[in-house]
Amino acid sequence: MEEFHRIRRLPPYVFEQVNRAKAAARNAGADIIDLGMGNPDLPAPAHVVEKLKETVGRPRTDRYSASKGIAGLRRAQAAYYERRFQVKLNPDTQVVATLGSKEGFANMAQAITAPGDVVLVPNPSYPIHAFGFLMAGGVIRSVPCAPGPDLFHALERAVMHSIPKPIALVVCYPSNPTAEVADLDFYKDVVAFAKKHDLIVLSDLAYAEVYFDDNPPPSILQVQGAMDVAVEFTSMSKTFSMPGWRMGFAVGNERLIAALARVKSYLDYGAFTPVQVAATAALNGPEDCIHEMRETYKRRREVLVESFGRAGWDVPPPKASMFAWCPIPKPFDTLGSIEFATMLVEKAEVAVAPGLGFGEHGDGFVRIALVENEQRIRQAARNLRRFLESGPEKLHNVVPLAQSR
């Protein structure tokens, strides 16, 4: 049967080949060290879990919840923004709780996109930044990911040559997958550009609290006038190690937040109320757990850079996020990222995310997630040393590690 229209608009799922290789290797008894998916392995904070347990089963908590988030949760997010960024938000009109930032992005795309609308999206970038608009009927125009002059040159060309004129620009810093960071001066230029060209700015700040150099990433909403054009998406998945809880937020421009809230009111009844109550406790509670999370990822980053470097693969140390964005090492750099990532699974029992999954400009890279402990990262480095020393021309003779034991 012919595929449905929206399904036809989606490109092939490029991670599938690596996933099949992982499944086959595990079925054969291999111990795959999985640094592919950005799925935090740290436990959620104990006091948040206790609040969830305390709330489950209370009267009325099993009923439908509030699509835009319970009032206490929205107030807690507004308080976080004032505490962290010195940005004042009205919790009733400028804050919406979402089922993770991914759902928030997709629903915002549904709210603002007409068929054929052009949206400017970094390439490489987190897939929902583009696919959310593709599913809504929009058209994607790629721009560079790095926050520098090349980006603004590309934006000017895009506005000049796109028909129809673009409606929105997506930014994501700290970046997934590239781990690049942006400063307030950059956001000032973004806001000025958006106002000049009547653009909406959608900022993904999911990694706001995962940074390593005592220089906290800023919010675009700190820029004067940003509230006129911008909405920002955050997530509790990484900050509080709560990825499966599916809790995020969209904050900012009242008109855009109202549009998102209206779309959501037709699509969902919000997260399970006890999850929202526990998320409120996380935002209002002690921040020791955030500091511990940050230190854990920092140690893992240092072990990754040091051990992979000794194995023969120089990994650029990320300043923020839970990812390293790594050029495919020589002499394997003639391979595409999918072929290289598949080979790593089959020959080194290490899984990474192929850069092509984040856009065609990511194909010479792979993304490595800091989601295994330090011992496992060192084991991955030992596996990699054997793999890299073999060279691509000898790999057809290399026995996979699971068979060599």
Side-chain angles (χ1 to χ4, degrees):
M1 292 177 64
E2 186 178 354
E3 284 189 329
F4 298 111
H5 168 69
R6 295 198 193 284
I7 303 303
R8 287 201 308 270
R9 300 202 79 213
L10 295 175
Y13 186 63
V14 301
F15 299 108
E16 187 56 36
Q17 182 174 329
V18 179
N19 288 343
R20 286 198 301 267
K22 281 195 293 186
R26 283 172 172 151
N27 288 338
D31 176 22
I32 301 298
I33 302 170
D34 196 344
L35 306 174
M37 185 176 180
N39 194 0
D41 63 316
L42 305 178
H47 69 281
V48 179
V49 175
E50 286 305 311
K51 178 58 72 172
L52 176 70
K53 293 178 181 177
E54 175 189 316
T55 311
V56 169
R58 283 186 175 179
R60 304 178 68 88
T61 58
D62 290 329
R63 295 185 173 187
Y64 292 128
S65 192
S67 175
K68 65 186 290 187
I70 60 175
L73 178 59
R74 287 182 280 110
R75 286 195 297 268
Q77 176 68 352
Y80 163 75
Y81 256 76
E82 185 165 9
R83 187 170 65 244
R84 170 72 162 78
F85 302 112
Q86 295 77 55
V87 171
K88 290 185 180 294
L89 296 168
N90 183 328
D92 294 323
T93 61
Q94 294 179 310
V95 179
V96 166
T98 63
L99 306 180
S101 59
K102 186 175 184 179
E103 178 262 2
F105 243 94
N107 282 344
M108 180 62 82
Q110 295 287 336
I112 68 175
T113 310
D117 277 347
V118 176
V119 179
L120 307 176
V121 179
N123 189 337
S125 189
Y126 185 52
I128 197 62
H129 296 158
F131 297 164
F133 289 100
L134 286 174
M135 286 187 281
V139 176
I140 302 305
R141 178 154 183 160
S142 295
V143 295
C145 174
D150 288 347
L151 170 58
F152 286 100
H153 293 325
L155 292 176
E156 291 284 0
R157 290 195 302 272
V159 170
M160 184 181 304
H161 298 295
S162 295
I163 300 176
K165 185 179 75 67
I167 65 161
L169 165 66
V170 175
V171 294
C172 176
Y173 303 102
S175 169
N176 178 7
T178 67
E180 293 180 275
V181 295
D183 58 22
L184 267 181
D185 286 338
F186 168 77
Y187 284 134
K188 289 176 183 176
D189 291 340
V190 167
V191 170
F193 183 88
K195 290 195 169 191
K196 176 182 176 182
H197 296 289
D198 194 24
L199 289 173
I200 294 164
V201 182
L202 303 177
S203 169
D204 186 342
L205 193 60
Y207 296 89
E209 302 301 343
V210 190
Y211 58 90
F212 308 124
D213 59 1
D214 298 323
N215 187 20
S219 161
I220 193 172
L221 298 180
Q222 292 175 253
V223 175
Q224 186 174 0
M227 208 70 75
D228 298 333
V229 295
V231 166
E232 192 155 69
F233 297 85
T234 57
S235 170
M236 302 190 76
S237 296
K238 279 70 182 184
T239 301
F240 294 98
S241 303
M242 296 166 59
W245 299 54
R246 306 315 303 134
M247 184 55 61
F249 299 93
V251 306
N253 177 270
E254 289 190 6
R255 177 170 172 261
L256 293 169
I257 292 296
L260 173 59
R262 186 168 184 186
V263 166
K264 280 179 56 61
S265 72
Y266 284 94
L267 297 178
D268 70 70
Y269 286 107
F272 185 37
T273 295
V275 168
Q276 296 194 53
V277 172
T280 304
L283 288 168
N284 290 337
E287 297 189 352
D288 302 18
C289 54
I290 300 176
H291 300 310
E292 291 169 7
M293 170 276 298
R294 194 179 296 135
E295 285 303 312
T296 296
Y297 287 132
K298 185 176 182 178
R299 288 194 301 272
R300 291 179 180 183
R301 178 195 69 157
E302 291 166 353
V303 169
L304 176 77
V305 171
E306 186 270 333
S307 63
F308 276 42
R310 282 193 290 107
W313 189 357
D314 290 330
V315 173
K319 294 181 179 178
S321 86
M322 56 186 292
F323 305 113
W325 184 242
C326 309
I328 296 174
K330 294 182 182 299
F332 299 88
D333 53 357
T334 57
L335 304 177
S337 60
I338 294 178
E339 184 179 357
F340 176 70
T342 302
M343 195 178 290
L344 276 186
V345 172
E346 295 172 345
K347 305 298 185 181
E349 297 183 359
V350 175
V352 297
L356 185 63
F358 305 96
E360 64 270 27
H361 295 299
D363 199 24
F365 297 79
V366 296
R367 191 193 71 178
I368 301 176
L370 303 171
V371 293
E372 293 269 15
N373 63 39
E374 294 160 46
Q375 179 181 346
R376 296 277 285 171
I377 292 172
R378 290 192 177 96
Q379 179 60 53
R382 289 192 288 271
N383 293 2
L384 281 167
R385 178 187 289 273
R386 175 178 182 268
F387 167 79
L388 294 172
E389 287 176 349
S390 65
E393 68 283 351
K394 302 177 184 175
L395 278 175
H396 63 281
N397 295 321
V398 174
V399 180
L401 293 178
Q403 298 178 26
S404 67
R405 291 175 183 142

